Amino acid sequence: MHQRLTPPTGPTVTTGRRGMARKALLAASALGVVTALMAPVRAGAAPAPAAPTAATPLAANGQLSVCGRQLCNASGQAVALNGMSTHGTQWYAQCVTDGSLDALAQDWRSDVLRVSTYVQEGGYETDPAGFTARAQKFVDAAHARGMYAVIDWHMLTPGDPNANLARAKTFFTAMAKKYKNHPGVLYEIANEPSGVSWSAIKSYAEQIIPVIRAEDPDAVVLVGTRAWSSFGVSEGSDESEVVNNPVNASNIMYTFHFYAASHREEYLNTLDRASDRLPVFVTEFGTQNYAGEGANDFTMSQRYLDLMKRKKISWTNWNYSDDHRSGAVFKTGTCNGSTWAGTGVLKEAGVWIRDRIRQ
């Protein structure tokens, strides 16, 4: 679906000890005193944010859960998170700084940051401990600013998530151990499966979810769907294969990805139908073609956003970097500087999506 290319070289109420720990973290977030664990990437980066004057998304909503087909907050009210996804952190860690995240939380008013840990392409497999620590650093930084974090296991090639099953178990064990008492995480266990049957993806999910649940029984888990998380549409199927054979687990949602210039009526209609039958989280989308480049189709994009707003479907946009492609929100070179807020540093797509997040 989104064939990413390598960048150019030039209502569940928690109780007991875990619940008390999560409530303590929420109280700290509300007061704005959670320490940002992410050191600035370079000298001159902005300091940690000051205490917020209003409740942050995390403090306001607390522990999330799936209720029916909706994502719900700690009070059982349906919520929709809107925010951004990082690019691959092996390439664009310099775009995830104290200053850029201050802008995302305060200027953009984002609810959520998706932290994308690529498995291949110079990612996790090359340094499991290092990329785990990097993901935790960025998750902690999102939490420090009152945002939720989606922990994205960004498998792409090979398209069968079972090819990285052992690595996924190791990664999610480490992440769930660290965040088992924190209300601010969602675990995305398979970014974009492709060339593999739904039954194989389902089998993978039913092996990874217990690994997470053994450490963190309360957090929402996001399950990728067939054909680059298109509910199978990009390989000639549709959502019925998931509806008729759902993952045997509770408190989960299924992911859907789209790129508006490439994915037209059939995909929009699939999202509409699927969200009538299943809990759906759009963890990745763009206003461009399936490669995240080319001209923006804001008209088609708005149709998707209108549908998601009406049905309270959460989303994160691809991507919060200064990659040369049109889908990266920052102008090329921005991440070498120290200015992040406002529209002057943004490409056309960045101006558009910032405005939608702020609404």
Side-chain angles (χ1 to χ4, degrees):
M1 188 171 184
H2 180 201
Q3 305 287 355
R4 264 175 305 287
L5 307 173
T6 303
T9 56
T12 301
V13 179
T14 322
T15 58
R17 292 182 180 178
R18 178 172 285 109
M20 293 176 66
R22 289 175 187 247
K23 289 178 181 178
L25 284 164
L26 281 173
S29 177
L31 292 171
V33 297
V34 179
T35 302
L37 299 181
M38 185 182 73
V41 171
R42 64 182 63 80
T53 56
T56 64
L58 179 54
N61 291 294
Q63 179 66 53
L64 303 175
S65 64
V66 179
C67 52
R69 295 184 300 275
Q70 300 293 146
L71 184 64
C72 292
N73 65 17
S75 300
Q77 298 173 321
V79 295
L81 305 181
N82 300 158
M84 292 299 301
S85 174
T86 72
H87 205 312
T89 59
Q90 78 274 38
W91 296 314
Y92 290 101
Q94 71 274 20
C95 297
V96 190
T97 70
D98 283 344
S100 74
L101 294 181
D102 285 350
L104 186 62
Q106 298 168 12
D107 179 49
W108 291 50
R109 304 173 197 164
S110 178
D111 304 314
V112 57
L113 175 72
R114 181 184 187 232
V115 177
S116 294
T117 300
Y118 274 69
V119 186
Q120 274 75 46
E121 300 181 64
Y124 178 89
E125 68 175 0
T126 68
D127 182 7
F131 278 100
T132 299
R134 186 173 296 184
Q136 291 173 347
K137 183 179 181 179
F138 295 155
V139 170
D140 290 342
H143 289 164
R145 290 155 177 81
M147 293 185 289
Y148 289 90
V150 172
I151 298 170
D152 165 32
W153 181 245
H154 207 85
M155 52 73 53
L156 189 61
T157 305
D160 182 354
N162 292 286
N164 287 293
L165 178 63
R167 293 186 179 104
K169 286 182 176 180
T170 299
F171 176 75
F172 282 111
T173 295
M175 299 303 278
K177 279 185 176 179
K178 179 171 175 62
Y179 297 109
K180 62 186 177 183
N181 291 323
H182 203 293
V185 295
L186 303 90
Y187 300 94
E188 184 178 1
I189 62 174
N191 164 54
E192 285 184 345
S194 64
V196 65
S197 67
W198 168 245
S199 61
I201 301 167
K202 178 177 181 286
S203 173
Y204 165 83
E206 290 174 352
Q207 294 176 78
I208 292 296
I209 292 171
V211 169
I212 296 170
R213 294 281 184 251
E215 300 293 339
D216 188 349
D218 301 317
V220 173
V221 175
L222 308 175
V223 181
T225 59
R226 187 154 77 90
W228 299 279
S229 286
S230 69
F231 280 111
V233 177
S234 290
E235 292 174 351
S237 187
D238 61 33
E239 76 284 355
S240 62
E241 62 185 17
V242 181
V243 172
N244 295 330
N245 188 24
V247 172
N248 184 23
S250 60
N251 210 29
I252 67 170
M253 307 185 84
Y254 298 92
T255 67
F256 184 80
H257 294 178
F258 69 87
Y259 285 81
S262 296
H263 303 129
R264 315 297 292 180
E265 298 293 335
E266 184 179 11
Y267 291 83
L268 180 64
N269 292 338
T270 297
L271 175 58
D272 194 8
R273 290 193 313 268
S275 58
D276 282 340
R277 304 291 299 278
L278 300 162
V280 178
F281 194 126
V282 174
T283 50
E284 188 178 308
F285 79 93
T287 56
Q288 314 78 27
N289 67 20
Y290 64 83
E293 56 190 1
N296 294 289
D297 188 336
F298 294 133
T299 300
M300 189 67 185
S301 299
Q302 190 62 53
R303 291 181 63 195
Y304 275 103
L305 262 63
D306 289 344
L307 173 67
M308 293 190 288
K309 182 176 182 179
R310 176 169 59 84
K311 303 186 84 168
K312 290 191 184 311
I313 298 172
S314 297
W315 52 258
T316 51
N317 176 260
W318 184 267
N319 66 78
Y320 202 63
S321 84
D322 65 353
D323 175 49
H324 73 282
R325 299 175 183 87
S326 55
V329 297
F330 292 114
K331 294 176 181 176
T332 303
T334 297
C335 297
N336 295 324
S338 59
T339 300
W340 305 99
T343 59
V345 294
L346 301 178
K347 295 176 188 165
E348 187 181 22
V351 173
W352 190 87
I353 198 64
R354 172 183 174 271
D355 183 59
R356 269 69 189 169
I357 293 173
R358 285 167 60 91
Q359 288 177 359

